[in-house]
């Protein structure tokens, strides 16, 4: 069966071959070299600022979101959370759970964020902004330039959940001035689930050092210290990391993420055209600003199950 979901997605043959092997022992120079290469390639593909780092956490994407809230936000920080769906809501719940000060900007499901929603909070002492670049629940891609400009003007540290957007949508960490960018193994990286990646700017590294360490497993301090020599503090999802290495090297050989990005854009255009051209189309598009990663459809007079079964066939 073809899998059209946002993740896990189908993997290429070379990745699947790695997935079928036993995991090697990982406290070795060979594995350290793989990890150091993974870090270099990720920072390169994200166009991260000089002296940034990338850490690899063995967790789903949500673990990296939680790690960001625990390690990058202190009790003195005042955060803005953009909440336009279930992933925005997840950041809200994480701030709540970890007792971080926050204000949420609610975006209507499937709607783009507007300048005036942000401007309301201008000059109010906010220090951090959390956003899901692609709010996958509605398939919405936020206007990152608008958000980045606001953060730049207000000297606000920007944390970007690009879990579904990396590769699928245009993303340049330096151009955005983002302090942290999160992605995951099972979306457009197209390998098995199990690894979440966080790129950290020098300012993010300062925050990690400044804040108290309040957890062990998701501690960025520990991940960074071990990462210096290409290692992780605990047993990682070794095979998924080897798959990531094959995938990143494949992208590098193909000339970077641009070509893969184009393929995804092309596929989304074709799919959306197909949906629009369906006779008596049973669907409406949910989002006014669609990410290339996912096409969110609202069914008219049909059940989701019957749509799923039609698509499956
Ligand atoms: C998939 C996704 C996540 C993480 O989900 P997990 O199930 O924890 O991997 C987080 N944010 C966004 C925007 C996503 O698309």
């Amino acid at each position: 069966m073809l899998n059209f979901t946002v993740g896990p997605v189908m993997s290429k043959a070379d990745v699947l071959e790695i997935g079928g092997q036993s995991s090697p022992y990982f406290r070795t120079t060979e594995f350290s070299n793989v990890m150091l290469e993974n870090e270099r390639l990720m920072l390169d593909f994200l166009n991260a600022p000089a002296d940034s780092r990338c850490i690899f956490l063995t967790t789903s994407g949500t673990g990296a979101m939680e790690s960001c809230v625990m390690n990058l936000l202190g009790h003195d920080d005042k955060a803005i959370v953009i909440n336009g769906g279930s992933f925005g809501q997840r950041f809200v719940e994480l701030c709540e759970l970890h007792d971080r000060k926050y204000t949420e900007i609610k975006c209507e499901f499937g709607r783009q964020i507007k300048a005036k929603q942000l401007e309301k909070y201008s000059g109010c002492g906010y220090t951090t902004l959390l956003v899901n670049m692609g709010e996958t629940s509605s398939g919405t891609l936020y206007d990152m330039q608008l958000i980045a400009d606001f953060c730049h003007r207000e000297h606000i540290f920007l944390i970007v959940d690009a879990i579904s957007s990396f590769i699928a949508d245009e993303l340049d960490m330096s151009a955005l001035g983002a302090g942290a960018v999160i992605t995951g193994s099972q979306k457009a990286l197209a390998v098995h689930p199990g690894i979440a990646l966080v790129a950290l700017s020098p300012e993010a590294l300062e925050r990690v050092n400044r804040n108290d360490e309040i957890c062990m497993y998701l501690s960025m301090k520990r991940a960074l210290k071990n990462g210096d020599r290409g290692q992780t503090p605990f047993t990682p999802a070794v095979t998924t990391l080897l798959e990531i290495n094959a995938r990143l090297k494949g992208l590098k050989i193909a000339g970077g993420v641009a070509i893969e990005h184009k393929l995804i854009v092309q596929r989304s255009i074709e799919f959306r055209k197909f949906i629009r051209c369906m006779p008596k189309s049973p669907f409406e598009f949910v989002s006014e600003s669609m990410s290339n990663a996912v096409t969110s459809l609202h069914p008219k007079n049909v059940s989701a199950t019957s749509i799923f079964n039609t698509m499956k066939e």
Side-chain angles (χ1 to χ4, degrees), residues 23-70:
S23 292
Y25 180 61
F26 63 101
R27 300 286 186 210
T28 60
T29 320
E30 288 81 357
F31 190 70
S32 292
N33 289 337
V34 166
M35 290 299 285
L36 293 171
E37 186 174 41
N38 284 348
E39 181 173 13
R40 274 197 307 275
L41 288 169
M42 274 306 296
L43 294 173
D44 183 22
F45 292 153
L46 287 167
N47 193 29
D51 301 320
S52 294
R53 295 286 308 274
C54 183
I55 56 170
F56 299 81
L57 302 168
T58 294
T59 156
S60 83
T62 306
M65 293 168 74
E66 185 155 28
S67 178
C68 282
V69 170
M70 287 194 288

Side-chain angles (χ1 to χ4, degrees), residues 106-157:
K106 285 248 188 193
C107 283
E108 229 180 294
F109 199 67
R111 286 302 165 98
Q112 182 56 275
I113 186 152
K114 302 280 182 329
K116 65 170 193 284
Q117 288 172 285
L118 291 166
E119 288 314 323
K120 236 171 85 179
Y121 300 100
S122 166
C124 297
Y126 286 94
T127 61
T128 311
L129 187 145
L130 295 134
V131 63
N132 319 92
M133 172 170 172
E135 172 48 84
T136 316
S137 62
S138 67
T140 300
L141 177 69
Y142 288 124
D143 183 343
M144 290 306 295
Q145 201 53 56
L146 179 78
I147 293 167
D149 288 347
F150 172 76
C151 289
H152 183 70
R153 262 198 326 274
E154 302 285 322
H155 306 290
I156 288 175
F157 181 80

Side-chain angles (χ1 to χ4, degrees), residues 60-63 65 87 90 132 134-136 161 163-164 186-187:
S60 83
T62 306
M65 293 168 74
F87 293 103
R90 196 164 296 180
N132 319 92
E135 172 48 84
T136 316
D161 165 3
I163 296 177
S164 63
Q186 82 275 28
K187 304 274 168 80

